[in-house]
């Protein structure tokens, strides 16, 4: 009988120890966070608001616009209002307007300010099921100008110093031997390719046409003064000097 009592007490002690270990382990475990909540400093939680479906409509869209390439940047979609800017033909123009939703389709109507000879009105659509595509038309304010239709695809500008025919002009300091035997036209292209890598939208038609054929080129701005690197600034100055020499000496230059 005594032996039975000893075994019973020993068993109770072991069970009690195991329960204490489990409780201690549970106390040390960090509770899993609910992905839909945020833990505050005081330990309480607050729901994280779901992203607005309108945010999918924001972004940069690029495509053909007549004989040019256009970048449409939609920067604001709030309530029933839309705002943004377009970059095309060397012009950077703001637009603003309204939109309505029918089913899964958003229909936008937006106007440029009207104080520029090339201003007009945009009408375009974005479908909720395909938020990376913009389809629409542009009607000029000026009489006699042609209405343009366009299909744009989402494409984000990104500075890439390694793209183009002369990437070295953005990657390292050029030396005289790098440019002294180049023709004026090639030097001009090399210099302007630096600007193109920064998304510069060219005013001169022949330069626009040259760069708009490149897949990597996304017109994004008409002012890049604050974006050029020190290497690029020095290379631009060097190239311009040799452009001048090539123009002055013609066929004798670099021969």
């Amino acid at each position: 009988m005594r032996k039975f009592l000893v075994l019973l007490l020993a068993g109770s002690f072991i069970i009690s120890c195991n329960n204490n270990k489990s409780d201690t382990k549970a106390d040390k475990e960090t509770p899993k966070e609910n992905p839909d909540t945020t833990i505050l400093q005081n330990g309480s939680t607050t729901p994280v608001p779901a992203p607005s479906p309108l945010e999918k409509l924001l972004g940069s869209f690029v495509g053909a616009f007549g004989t040019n390439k256009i970048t449409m940047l939609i920067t604001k979609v709030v309530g029933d209002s839309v705002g943004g800017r377009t970059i095309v033909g060397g012009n950077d123009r703001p637009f603003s307007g309204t939109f309505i939703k029918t089913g899964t389709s958003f229909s936008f109507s937006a106007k440029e300010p009207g104080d520029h000879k090339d201003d007009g009105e945009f009408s375009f659509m974005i479908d909720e099921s395909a938020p990376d595509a913009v389809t629409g038309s542009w009607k000029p304010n000026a009489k006699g100008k042609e209405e343009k239709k366009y299909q744009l695809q989402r494409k984000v500008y990104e500075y890439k110093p390694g793209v183009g025919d002369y990437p070295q002009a953005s990657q390292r300091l050029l030396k005289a031997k790098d440019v002294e035997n180049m023709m004026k036209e090639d030097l001009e292209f090399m210099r302007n390719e630096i600007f193109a890598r920064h998304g510069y939208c060219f005013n001169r038609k022949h330069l626009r046409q040259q760069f708009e054929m490149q897949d990597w080129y996304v017109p994004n701005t008409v002012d890049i003064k604050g974006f050029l690197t020190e290497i690029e600034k020095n290379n631009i100055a060097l190239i311009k000097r040799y452009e001048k020499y090539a123009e002055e000496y013609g066929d004798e230059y670099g021969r």
Side-chain angles (χ1 to χ4, degrees):
M1 183 68 178
R2 178 181 293 178
K3 185 182 290 186
F4 175 76
L5 290 173
V6 171
L7 292 173
L8 181 62
L9 290 172
S12 299
F13 178 76
I14 292 171
I15 292 172
S16 175
C17 288
N18 286 338
N19 286 339
N20 288 338
K21 289 180 180 178
S22 299
D23 292 343
T24 302
K25 183 178 180 181
D27 290 342
K28 291 182 179 180
E29 287 183 353
T30 303
K32 293 181 179 180
E33 294 183 17
N34 185 331
D36 295 328
T37 63
T38 299
I39 298 178
L40 303 179
Q41 289 183 346
N42 61 8
S44 63
T45 61
T46 183
V48 176
S52 168
L54 297 180
E55 290 182 12
K56 293 182 179 180
L57 306 177
L58 302 177
S60 173
F61 303 85
V62 181
F65 189 73
T67 58
N68 294 320
K69 181 181 283 189
I70 188 173
T71 298
M72 174 183 284
L73 296 106
I74 302 175
T75 58
K76 182 187 75 171
V77 181
V78 179
D80 64 349
S81 299
V82 62
R85 46 193 270 263
T86 59
I87 301 166
V88 60
N91 295 315
D92 186 337
R93 302 298 293 161
F95 66 79
S96 61
T98 59
F99 72 93
I100 59 172
K101 184 181 181 185
T102 306
T104 62
S105 181
F106 294 87
S107 298
F108 298 84
S109 178
K111 295 181 179 181
E112 294 169 307
D115 55 357
H116 189 280
K117 64 182 179 64
D118 293 324
D119 279 356
E121 182 175 351
F122 290 94
S123 297
F124 57 94
M125 296 179 65
I126 302 177
D127 196 277
E128 212 168 29
S129 62
D132 292 339
V134 171
T135 302
S137 62
W138 174 82
K139 184 178 180 180
N141 293 337
K143 294 181 179 180
K145 288 197 173 184
E146 183 182 357
E147 182 176 336
K148 297 177 181 178
K149 298 185 182 299
Y150 49 87
Q151 292 183 332
L152 314 179
Q153 289 293 319
R154 186 182 297 275
K155 190 171 185 180
V156 180
Y157 163 75
E158 182 181 358
Y159 172 63
K160 296 179 180 179
V163 298
D165 293 344
Y166 303 102
Q168 64 270 29
S170 289
Q171 295 175 320
R172 63 173 175 83
L173 286 173
L174 298 176
K175 298 179 180 179
K177 65 180 182 180
D178 294 317
V179 296
E180 61 187 2
N181 290 315
M182 293 178 65
M183 302 299 294
K184 181 180 183 301
E185 293 77 12
D186 296 326
L187 288 166
E188 181 188 52
F189 184 86
M190 185 187 209
R191 175 171 56 84
N192 282 287
E193 193 179 66
I194 296 173
F195 303 140
R197 277 189 280 272
H198 285 279
Y200 182 71
C201 185
F202 296 92
N203 216 340
R204 288 186 285 174
K205 187 175 181 179
H206 78 282
L207 290 173
R208 285 204 309 273
Q209 291 176 336
Q210 282 181 320
F211 291 110
E212 287 178 355
M213 294 173 61
Q214 309 298 321
D215 291 338
W216 54 265
Y217 175 64
V218 178
N220 187 66
T221 183
V222 295
D223 185 3
I224 58 168
K225 291 180 182 178
F227 299 102
L228 295 172
T229 68
E230 289 303 314
I231 286 176
E232 290 171 330
K233 290 176 183 177
N234 281 284
N235 287 341
I236 288 168
L238 176 68
I239 295 168
K240 286 184 75 173
R241 286 202 302 272
Y242 279 87
E243 281 184 79
K244 183 179 179 181
Y245 296 157
E247 185 174 10
E248 288 179 355
Y249 294 105
D251 291 339
E252 295 180 2
Y253 171 75
R255 304 282 182 185

